[in-house]
């Protein structure tokens, strides 16, 4: 039996405190890219009681995603936006979720992300990362951007960190490791970086702006 919305909110208040949970519940966060980073970021934020999530990706679930992303084997072939929404609703049934199954461009980013408080960059593709980062930082002043760089391979998880680059820009990862034929992506290390991204989102909402 699924708990009521009131009961789930009360449980979150008991864990986080009333004032902090109120901030989480009133927040709107965008997750751009729903792969190894984005799918885990979305789960962490939904479980924390973030009120509204905007999920954006133009890809479909593939068998190669299952080793590190929050999808199920029977969801192969589905749009990632709808598959992740379905999975999130199982864990956090009352979170408000809006999805866009489309590629972000310089033209549509300001319009699609306008109503969000914080934007998480979670793309695999360097070009997509650059377009989102450049557009948000240069054309959407005042928006917080939480991006990632460097989480491939089996290097120590202890070197993955969060750095504050500018007043509204945070970068998570080791800043070095890149995917190659010799160095792939492993769920545990990707999850570490995703956790850093989700955690700094919660810190920003709590009014803690240092990295």
């Amino acid at each position: 039996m699924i708990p009521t919305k009131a009961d789930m909110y009360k449980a979150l208040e008991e864990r986080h405190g009333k004032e902090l949970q109120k901030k989480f519940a009133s927040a709107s966060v965008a997750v751009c890219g729903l792969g190894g980073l984005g799918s885990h970021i979305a789960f962490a934020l939904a479980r924390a009681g973030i009120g509204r999530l905007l999920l954006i990706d133009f890809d479909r679930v593939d068998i190669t995603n299952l080793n590190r992303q929050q999808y199920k084997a029977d969801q192969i072939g589905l749009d990632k936006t709808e598959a992740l929404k379905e999975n999130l609703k199982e864990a956090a049934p009352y979170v408000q979720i809006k999805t866009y199954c489309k590629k972000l461009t310089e033209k549509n980013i300001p319009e699609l992300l306008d109503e969000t408080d914080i934007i998480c960059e979670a793309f695999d593709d360097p070009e997509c990362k650059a377009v989102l980062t450049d557009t948000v930082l240069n054309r959407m002043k005042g928006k917080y951007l939480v991006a990632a760089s460097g989480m491939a391979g089996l290097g120590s998880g202890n070197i993955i960190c969060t750095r504050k680059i500018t007043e509204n820009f945070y970068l998570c990862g080791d800043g070095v490791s890149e995917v190659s034929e010799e160095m792939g992506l492993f769920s545990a290390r990707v999850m570490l970086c995703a956790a850093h991204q989700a955690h700094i989102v919660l810190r920003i909402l709590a009014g803690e702006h240092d990295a």
Side-chain angles (χ1 to χ4, degrees):
M1 181 176 178
I2 298 175
T4 66
K5 183 177 182 179
D7 285 342
M8 291 197 73
Y9 190 85
K10 182 180 178 182
L12 288 169
E13 282 187 329
E14 290 174 353
R15 290 290 184 178
H16 303 152
K18 289 186 177 181
E19 290 304 314
L20 183 55
Q21 193 54 50
K22 184 177 180 180
K23 293 178 180 179
F24 290 170
S26 63
S28 178
V29 180
V31 182
C32 304
L34 304 179
L37 287 173
S39 62
H40 288 291
I41 293 169
F43 257 90
L45 296 179
R47 289 185 184 278
I50 295 299
R52 296 180 299 281
L53 290 176
L54 175 61
L55 308 178
I56 302 176
D57 202 306
F58 59 89
D59 203 0
R60 293 185 177 182
V61 180
D62 185 81
I63 191 171
T64 60
N65 302 147
L66 299 182
N67 76 315
R68 67 189 187 282
Q69 301 179 18
Q70 287 278 12
Y71 301 105
K72 306 170 188 177
D74 63 359
Q75 292 179 319
I76 291 173
L78 298 180
D79 290 336
K80 285 186 174 181
T81 48
E82 292 309 307
L84 187 58
K85 180 179 180 179
E86 175 183 303
N87 296 345
L88 288 170
K89 284 292 187 177
E90 292 180 0
Y94 304 110
V95 61
Q96 296 178 42
I97 299 175
K98 190 173 185 178
T99 63
Y100 288 112
C101 186
K102 60 177 60 181
K103 185 172 183 177
L104 289 177
T105 65
E106 292 182 23
K107 184 176 181 180
N108 66 20
I109 287 172
E111 178 184 356
L112 296 180
L113 303 182
D114 181 60
E115 296 182 1
T116 57
D117 304 306
I118 302 174
I119 299 161
C120 293
E121 178 277 306
F123 289 124
D124 296 328
D125 182 76
E127 182 180 346
C128 292
K129 284 178 174 287
V131 169
L132 179 62
T133 300
D134 290 345
T135 304
V136 173
L137 295 182
N138 294 321
R139 295 177 56 193
M140 303 181 72
K141 301 297 183 182
K143 296 289 186 184
Y144 287 96
L145 177 66
V146 178
S149 176
M151 76 274 330
L154 285 171
S156 173
N158 294 330
I159 62 174
I160 291 178
C161 63
T162 301
R163 291 175 289 151
K164 185 175 184 178
I165 306 302
T166 65
E167 189 65 25
N168 292 69
F169 179 34
Y170 297 81
L171 188 62
C172 304
D174 62 28
V176 177
S177 57
E178 296 182 358
V179 178
S180 66
E181 291 183 2
E182 296 79 25
M183 189 175 351
L185 291 166
F186 294 85
S187 180
R189 203 162 192 266
V190 173
M191 286 174 65
L192 282 172
C193 189
H196 271 266
Q197 289 187 265
H199 191 61
I200 194 60
V201 168
L202 298 180
R203 283 179 55 78
I204 292 168
L205 294 173
E208 303 291 340
H209 296 286
D210 59 301

